[in-house]
Amino acid sequence: MSTELPPVAPEVLAEAVENLTARLRKKLDAATEGCAAGAVLEADGTVTLRFGEDALVTLRPGPAGTITTADQATCSCLLAPRCLHRAAALGAAPLADTPPEPAAEPDPGPAGDPTAAAADPTGSTEPAAPAGPVGATVPATPALTAAQLRAAGALWHVAAEALAAGVTAGGAVVQAELLRAAHTARLAGLIRAEAAALRVVRGLRAAREHRAGQRLGDLTDAFRELLHTAGLLAAGSADPALTGTARRAYAPGGSLQVHGLCREPVLSATGYGGVVTHLLAADGTPYSVSDVRPGGLARARGAGSASVALGGATLDHAGLARGGLRIVGATVSPEGRLGAGRGVRATPLPGSAWTEQPAARLFARPAAEAVAALLADPDAAESTLLGCDVTVVGAVGEHLLVRETRPDAPLLRLLPAHPHPELAHTENLRRIASYPGLQLRVLGRPDLDRTATLRPVAVGPVPGAEHTLRLPEEWLGRADLGYDRLQGAHFPQGAAAPVPLPAAEGPDPLADSPLWRVRRLLETGVAGGRRAVAEAARGTESLAGASYAPLRRAGLTAAAELAAALAAEADRRPRDVFGWLADPSPDGYAWAWLAAATHLAGAERCLIAASWAASPSAVPVSER
């Protein structure tokens, strides 16, 4: 059984690769591949990897279990520390979050001076970049510093180089250049740009290692976010939404009275696990209490019943999800996360059902209206829950199909909020699917990257419905799908009114649109780099020719033109009289790729919004 390598800080890995000679860099990918299989965990907590007879790499993680300094990674060979063995060992280790997150929420500073804060340990993604004209001059108020402009320009350049290389050529050296530029961006205060670069590096690693669950579309979106952020920053935009913040400042929130909605497990790709309990104030403002620490799956499963570390409250997270708190001296982050400072005092309150206020208002408006509001404010989309009453249709493929109980409602697709088989989401949805006609009250998070898709975190009975859930009284009318396991006794006896199961899931305006041709072109560039796009443009089924006709016939003229411009730019390689490239810069190709990707993201959002607003029969299907 192989030993897992400790996470390494990105700047440590970048420095190790930068110190290699050009000859050793060419060998780095081969040396990194498979070297982690021979790792050995020693009695003192260090991890060793042997390369031949004379080279032993020793990794000594710090108290947080992370390699954060260069002297924590040593090699016994004569070339150390500028050796291939040390760089390969660090390259095989997972990337650590930057900076390592504290285990608990911080104490706030004195009243009116909330200087302490904590990094988000869930590894949540940044909000999607808004669509806009690419290459446009952006007013800079306030102006970025010279160091920030240099850092943004450098990050843009290495991101463009990485895009031109693609996954096939995006090995350890390309990744190290991205990490170096990301670290420089962080030192300059460009936190969002650094986070976007780290997502690209993690995506490149996952794609090259063919990890399960890795999606090329996710890496494509990560490249779009990185290029968009770095490009606007390099042009001088000082929008705080682009620069980001390193730490979440907690501000005084005064006295609050919050009621529990539900809880859900948190399991991040960086080894963190825990729980977040969603709360709602009397005025409808959402809040949350989280307990996320290193520990992965085991901690995510156990944290659901852990005590709530908030102002001396005597509740656990299971009790808080069905109860409430009266908080004095509350501290609140911009995301609505409640802090646990020394001055916070909390006392438990009786729980309230979803049929009572303030939770009842979540189910009062059609889901389409709630989704439209989220699409108008992408910054809130990651944490906002919406509620709706639905009737179960049945399972088709990987989806549980339901229909909202209102006239002309669309067919909705339910997917697990977290697909890990050790969590209860998938099993609960599979059991619900076996009861067609069942009426449910669902609280979940819309998946804004898919057509009419909701990821439920909790369910409950529909008030007044006969064929609905029969939950225990102590559950207070809801089941947390990540922790509570539905049993046969929780479902009504007998069959409901027959619900026709569609032969197929029905028209999907996103999948049936010819926009898939643009996405395929963009993903071809991410997978194979600029050369793959150029070869596709020169093929017999040329993307620059008849393949764009369906886009134009569907009225997607701008998408067709941008895709054609990308293919032409990829194939533009002018050379001088000596055969050398006259314009080796990848900037033109990167801008063309970003223009097509930004337009595609906006067009797909429009189709997704339409899928929530109308029944499938009312949504036109574009020609292929």
Side-chain angles (χ1 to χ4, degrees), residues 213-456:
Q214 185 274 334
R215 294 178 61 248
L216 187 59
D218 293 337
L219 181 55
T220 301
D221 294 341
F223 262 112
R224 173 175 57 83
E225 167 70 6
L226 173 58
L227 290 169
H228 181 276
T229 304
L232 287 181
L233 288 171
S237 174
D239 185 349
L242 289 174
T243 55
T245 55
R247 306 177 73 83
R248 299 169 309 164
Y250 281 73
S255 297
L256 295 176
Q257 185 169 309
V258 293
H259 301 273
L261 284 175
C262 61
R263 61 191 163 136
E264 63 171 319
V266 174
L267 185 61
S268 79
T270 53
Y272 283 81
V275 63
V276 57
T277 297
H278 299 278
L279 310 165
L280 206 60
D283 62 356
T285 303
Y287 294 95
S288 65
V289 173
S290 67
D291 181 9
V292 182
R293 307 181 187 184
L297 175 64
R299 191 162 200 295
R301 297 174 62 183
S305 56
S307 298
V308 176
L310 181 65
T314 58
L315 288 174
D316 58 18
H317 280 272
L320 179 58
R322 296 182 172 92
L325 287 175
R326 179 178 289 110
I327 307 172
V328 178
T331 57
V332 186
S333 78
E335 300 85 5
R337 199 175 301 253
L338 296 175
R342 288 186 299 270
V344 179
R345 296 292 179 267
T347 55
L349 291 174
S352 60
W354 281 357
T355 55
E356 304 172 9
Q357 296 296 351
R361 64 168 55 96
L362 293 176
F363 304 91
R365 63 174 176 171
E369 292 184 11
V371 171
L374 291 180
L375 289 171
D377 183 15
D379 289 356
E382 285 292 327
S383 58
T384 300
L385 300 178
L386 66 83
C388 57
D389 294 344
V390 301
T391 300
V392 174
V393 176
V396 174
E398 62 175 348
H399 302 130
L400 168 59
L401 301 184
V402 299
R403 192 180 297 277
E404 195 174 356
T405 54
R406 62 178 179 85
D408 298 323
L411 199 66
L412 304 183
R413 300 162 174 85
L414 302 189
L415 286 177
H418 202 295
H420 198 288
E422 295 298 323
L423 298 175
H425 296 99
T426 301
E427 179 184 341
N428 282 330
L429 288 184
R430 187 180 296 118
R431 185 175 287 273
I432 291 172
S434 63
Y435 289 85
L438 180 72
Q439 290 185 290
L440 285 176
R441 174 157 280 189
V442 178
L443 188 66
R445 188 174 292 105
D447 187 338
L448 300 182
D449 293 326
R450 296 172 181 259
T451 303
T453 299
L454 186 67
R455 295 187 180 270

Side-chain angles (χ1 to χ4, degrees), residues 475-501:
W475 286 15
L476 206 63
R478 64 261 208 177
D480 299 327
L481 293 179
Y483 290 106
D484 301 322
R485 294 187 181 270
L486 296 174
Q487 306 296 330
H490 299 150
F491 293 88
Q493 302 302 314
V499 176
L501 182 67

